[in-house]
Amino acid sequence: MSRPTSALTAFGVAAAGIAVYCGMDAIMKGLSIASGAYNAVMWRSIAGVALMLPVFLLRRQRWPSRAALRLHAARGTVAGASVLLFFWGLVRVPMAQGVALTFLAPLIALFLAALTLGERIRRAAIGGSLVASLGVLAIAMGQVQARASEQAVLGSIAVVAASILYAGSLILLRRQAQVADPLEVALFTSIVLGLLLLAGAPWFGGMPSPRQLPEIVVAALLGSGSAIALAWAYARAEAQVLAPVEYTAFVWSALFGWLVFAEVVSPWTLGGALLIIAGCVVAVRRPIPAPHTEASA
């Protein structure tokens, strides 16, 4: 029999998935600036299906059940709307600021998990989220002072709306990961999103330029790899344990924003990042069991 996966291992895999996803964010921001968020998300989804479908078929996996297909459709729709809003907003705000605003999602997901999945919210998870939220507040204060144009405000509103939808997609991911393996989860999420966006392509979409094709393929590879890692982790740990891992995205987004778009990281940003990391450590820490005594027996 295989040994059960520890919460720390699941957290580490999810953290790696977030780091990969942030690399994809940087590519997608560039594509969205060049040809619009709708086009960038649509072609990344189509490329993801093209990459994952052959692997799915070669493995001769069973076709998803009707219940699993309903979950795939639900999460693909919710996650798709979230992704589209996020990249539309990310064009208008620095990466670090955009990702900081998405940190509302794990906090919302903690309570959604209790309502929909019956998970018990531990004090450590609540305390860690509160500590991390102070980091988010510090980042937001610094970034808003640096950029407060009308477009930035609209972008921030879009990212906040995306974070609310993303919280719902995290809960659906937990349910999805219980009935399907990571490859199936990633593939069918891309299929649903791709079909939905293709339906609107005559009005909102267009063909990518040849020089954009390598970037689209790399973005699809990174996005698919991240989705598989997150689905694997969510199948092995509670949502409240993994939700705070989203906070690590800030460190990566600040780094990629600086390297790719020359976005300056302020002292507010650095201080906020330290609080976020501290919050993650607190949230995943398990309480030390009480010693066994005659009275407790």
Side-chain angles (χ1 to χ4, degrees), residues 196-224:
L196 288 173
L197 293 178
L198 278 173
W203 298 276
F204 306 109
M207 293 297 294
S209 66
R211 63 185 178 81
Q212 290 178 323
L213 293 178
E215 294 178 47
I216 291 171
V217 172
V218 173
L221 283 170
L222 295 178
S224 299

Side-chain angles (χ1 to χ4, degrees), residues 21-22 25 29 82 85-106 136 139-140 142-144 147 151-164 166 246-247 249-254 257 263-264 269 276:
Y21 198 87
C22 288
D25 280 349
K29 177 168 181 171
S82 174
L85 281 169
F86 175 71
F87 285 118
W88 188 90
L90 198 63
V91 170
R92 291 156 176 80
V93 297
M95 284 188 65
Q97 180 181 334
V99 169
L101 291 172
T102 67
F103 292 155
L104 292 170
V136 174
I139 294 162
Q143 294 294 334
V144 168
R147 182 168 180 170
Q151 284 298 307
V153 172
L154 291 174
S156 296
I157 293 171
V159 174
V160 169
S163 72
I164 295 171
Y166 186 55
E246 303 290 330
Y247 296 133
F250 173 76
V251 179
W252 295 106
S253 64
E263 296 169 353
V264 178
T269 298
I276 288 167

